[in-house]
């Protein structure tokens, strides 16, 4: 099947699986248009309240989810030297793909300037407040660039947990998880503990997703009611930039990557994982798609040894689509608030997007939440930018579906390259599209 047909089918499936959320968006737009220009302060306050409840609930699970996912992922590698070798290669490959994503994201966002369309909606007061915060954070950091890295090392991890400082939290958890992996079987109680934490937070996430439709409805309605229909004209450039970026990843970066590092044929690989790509689009969750990604890869000849190790880590740590979106979104916000985008700031945004995206859990909406980490590094908090965020939220679900498709596809690209390098791929199966029919 042609790639564009697969994407169309994915779109159809996505709407079918998430019809209630799509209805939330559409009804939110209609309600917002109706409310625009009318004076219903109580109703607007209620909508804002529902939207905030939804956002706070998602934020509530981020730390336990990220911590447990990293500990489970790293300890599953164990202390086996061979797995250590795959691990290094995996991080190198995931790194290349993610660096390509943030580079594409920053270039496109700087060229097309999607944030300028939103600038008119930002009050002068909040813009100058944001500009001042960024300027002082940048002055502090540029004075001593080493301080940025120093700030990544927590001198008191509990303090970082309490403050929600994601980068020091991740640094601590990574070191802790590697140590756990090294100590062998004695780690079982802790690892089992975090397996339970992970399962329970995934369950809570499931519950929170019941609120997705009303949450998205409320957020969309309150955004549209304050901005009116013009918001779509302002946001269309942002959507276009993202679309171009994602297409470049899928149609240029991955084919080149596979050509360079393996003998895998990109068309064959896409046909192998088409179903996983569609489900990724439909569920907007890399984690939920993981079982299918593994099944698609194994049915088409990638060995279980490689796929069972690389794909679960990829579904947690490799989020190049999210990194691309986060780079574009933060540059969008900077442009909307009139923050000067110096080369230093752009590089910092791109680097932080790599960290923020890999700390992001493979669940719907996580990518927009971990943007807080990038803003944090720029001396900002999401609350200061709430008017700008309202724009991004109007089309959050659609962009989530697209970036998740990209995230899952790159997991498959990397697993195929590693399997090729390790002679762990059966090319007779991979290059035989008929084999795809057999996937249960
Ligand atoms: N939904 C994305 C995923 O599961 C993560 C994100 O929100 O960017 O891959």
């Amino acid at each position: 099947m042609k790639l564009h047909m697969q994407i169309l089918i994915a779109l159809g499936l996505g709407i079918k699986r998430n019809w209630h959320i799509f209805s939330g968006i559409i009804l939110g737009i209609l309600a917002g248009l109706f409310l625009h220009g009318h004076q219903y302060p109580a109703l607007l306050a209620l909508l804002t309240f529902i939207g905030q409840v939804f956002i706070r609930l998602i934020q509530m699970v981020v730390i336990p989810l990220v911590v447990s996912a990293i500990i489970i992922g790293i300890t599953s590698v164990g202390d086996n030297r061979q797995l250590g070798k795959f691990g290094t290669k995996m991080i190198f490959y995931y790194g290349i793909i993610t660096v390509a994503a943030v580079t594409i994201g920053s270039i496109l966002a700087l060229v097309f300037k999607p944030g300028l369309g939103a600038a008119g909606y930002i009050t002068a007061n909040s813009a100058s407040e944001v500009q001042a915060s960024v300027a002082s954070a940048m002055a502090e950091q540029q004075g001593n660039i080493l301080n940025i890295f120093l700030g990544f090392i927590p001198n008191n991890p509990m303090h970082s947990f309490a403050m929600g400082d994601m980068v020091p939290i991740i640094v601590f958890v990574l070191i802790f998880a590697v140590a756990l992996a090294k100590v062998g079987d004695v780690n079982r109680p802790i690892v089992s503990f975090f397996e339970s934490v992970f399962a329970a937070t995934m369950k809570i996430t499931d519950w929170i997703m019941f609120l997705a439709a009303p949450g998205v409805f409320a957020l969309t309605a309150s955004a549209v009611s304050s901005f009116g229909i013009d918001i779509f004209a302002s946001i269309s450039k942002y959507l276009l930039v993202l679309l171009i970026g994602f297409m470049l990843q899928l149609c240029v970066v991955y084919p080149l990557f596979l050509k360079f590092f393996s003998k895998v044929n990109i068309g064959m690989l896409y046909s192998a994982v088409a179903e996983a790509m569609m489900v990724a689009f439909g569920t907007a969750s890399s984690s939920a798609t993981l079982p299918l990604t593994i099944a698609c890869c194994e049915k088409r000849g990638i060995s279980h040894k490689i796929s069972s190790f690389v794909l679960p880590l990829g579904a947690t740590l490799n989020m190049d689509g999210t990194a691309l979106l986060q780079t574009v979104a933060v540059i969008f916000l900077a442009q909307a608030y009139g923050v000067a985008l110096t080369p230093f700031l752009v590089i910092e945004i791109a680097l932080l997007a790599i960290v923020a995206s890999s700390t992001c859990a493979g669940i719907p909406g996580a990518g927009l939440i971990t943007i807080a980490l990038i803003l944090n590094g720029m001396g900002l908090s999401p609350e200061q930018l709430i008017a700008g965020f309202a724009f991004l939220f109007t089309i959050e679900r659609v962009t989530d579906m697209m970036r998740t498709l990209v995230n899952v596809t790159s997991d498959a690209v990397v697993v195929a390259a590693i399997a090729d390098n390790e002679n762990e791929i059966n090319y007779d199966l991979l290059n035989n599209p008929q084999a795809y029919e057999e996937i249960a």
Side-chain angles (χ1 to χ4, degrees):
M1 201 186 296
K2 291 255 156 48
L3 186 63
H4 66 273
M5 276 308 288
Q6 292 173 4
I7 290 173
L8 280 179
I9 291 175
L11 194 70
L13 270 184
I15 291 173
K16 205 169 147 209
R17 278 170 203 271
N18 294 290
W19 61 269
H20 54 295
I21 299 172
F22 273 95
S23 322
I25 296 177
I26 303 294
L27 291 177
I29 294 172
L30 294 178
L33 287 177
F34 172 75
L35 289 174
H36 183 60
H38 289 80
Q39 296 296 327
Y40 294 116
L43 197 56
L44 272 181
L46 180 68
L47 287 174
T48 312
F49 173 76
I50 298 173
Q52 291 302 318
V53 167
F54 178 57
I55 294 180
R56 289 181 75 113
L57 282 171
I58 298 181
Q59 278 176 319
M60 181 181 83
V61 292
V62 168
I63 291 186
L65 202 56
V66 166
V67 171
S68 53
I70 293 184
I71 288 184
I72 297 169
I74 294 203
T75 49
S76 72
V77 175
D79 195 23
N80 184 314
R81 290 190 61 189
Q82 198 185 19
L83 288 183
K85 197 178 98 200
F86 301 158
T88 318
K89 187 171 265 180
M90 181 189 74
I91 290 168
F92 175 66
Y93 283 170
Y94 282 150
I96 292 180
I97 280 184
T98 310
V99 167
V102 295
T103 310
I104 289 176
S106 22
I107 293 176
L108 288 176
L110 290 175
V111 170
F112 288 100
K113 301 189 175 52
L116 294 187
Y121 298 95
I122 309 294
T123 62
N125 265 351
S126 61
S128 55
E129 189 195 309
V130 166
Q131 289 161 14
S133 304
V134 177
S136 77
M138 287 304 113
E140 216 173 88
Q141 291 171 5
Q142 244 158 347
N144 185 358
I145 193 153
L146 290 178
N147 273 347
I148 304 179
F149 295 99
L150 210 52
F152 288 171
I153 305 172
N155 51 8
N156 177 355
M158 291 309 149
H159 182 240
S160 312
F161 278 107
M163 303 306 291
D165 289 340
M166 288 309 280
V167 181
I169 292 177
I170 300 290
V171 169
F172 170 72
V173 175
L174 279 176
I175 296 173
F176 186 71
V178 171
L180 275 179
K182 289 276 173 205
V183 296
D185 270 354
V186 77
N187 69 16
R188 274 320 300 166
I190 300 269
V191 176
S192 314
F193 169 80
F194 281 106
E195 279 165 357
S196 311
V197 171
F198 183 76
T201 38
M202 286 299 273
K203 181 74 8 279
I204 299 174
T205 311
D206 266 0
W207 293 336
I208 298 173
M209 283 302 131
F210 283 118
L211 263 185
V216 165
F217 167 79
L219 287 166
T220 314
S222 58
V224 175
S225 71
S226 47
F227 299 129
I229 190 86
D230 294 350
I231 192 171
F232 293 103
S234 325
I235 206 75
S236 58
K237 226 177 189 180
Y238 171 71
L239 196 59
L240 189 72
V241 165
L242 287 176
L243 264 176
I244 299 175
F246 292 146
M247 287 317 278
L248 284 175
Q249 280 293 99
L250 289 168
C251 304
V252 179
V253 175
Y254 302 160
L256 284 179
F257 174 87
L258 283 180
K259 243 200 165 67
F260 207 76
F261 291 107
S262 75
K263 305 183 290 297
V264 175
N265 176 309
I266 187 80
M268 291 299 161
L269 182 70
Y270 281 179
S271 83
V273 296
E275 195 168 330
M277 288 162 82
M278 292 177 206
V279 171
F281 190 85
T283 58
S285 167
S286 304
S287 298
T289 314
L290 180 63
L292 197 72
T293 321
I294 295 179
C296 288
C297 288
E298 292 187 5
K299 291 266 178 181
R300 286 286 287 272
I302 293 171
S303 81
H304 177 72
K305 185 168 139 198
I306 303 285
S307 71
S308 66
F309 162 66
V310 175
L311 288 173
L313 276 179
T316 327
L317 297 175
N318 173 46
M319 302 275 174
D320 59 327
T322 301
L324 195 152
L325 172 125
Q326 291 180 327
T327 314
V328 174
V330 172
I331 294 181
F332 173 97
L333 291 171
Q335 288 165 342
Y337 284 84
V339 173
L341 282 158
T342 58
F344 178 84
L345 182 56
V346 174
I347 292 173
E348 179 171 2
I349 292 173
L351 289 179
L352 287 174
I354 295 176
V355 181
S357 64
S358 43
T359 66
C360 156
I363 54 168
L368 211 59
I369 306 296
T370 55
I371 277 189
L373 189 150
I374 308 176
L375 298 176
N376 200 301
M378 297 164 68
L380 294 170
S381 73
E383 287 77 36
Q384 278 176 289
L385 304 159
I386 201 75
F389 262 109
F391 274 87
L392 306 182
F393 265 111
T394 53
I395 52 162
E396 158 59 5
R397 183 69 191 186
V398 180
T399 65
D400 198 4
M401 295 163 92
M402 298 191 301
R403 67 186 186 248
T404 308
L405 185 152
V406 173
N407 290 340
V408 167
T409 310
S410 68
D411 293 343
V413 166
V414 169
V415 82
I418 295 180
D420 168 274
N421 301 168
E422 301 294 325
N423 266 330
E424 292 280 347
I425 190 163
N426 179 342
Y427 277 101
D428 290 338
L429 280 177
L430 182 71
N431 295 334
N432 171 15
Q434 246 50 51
Y436 180 64
E437 311 289 317
E438 289 154 25
I439 292 181

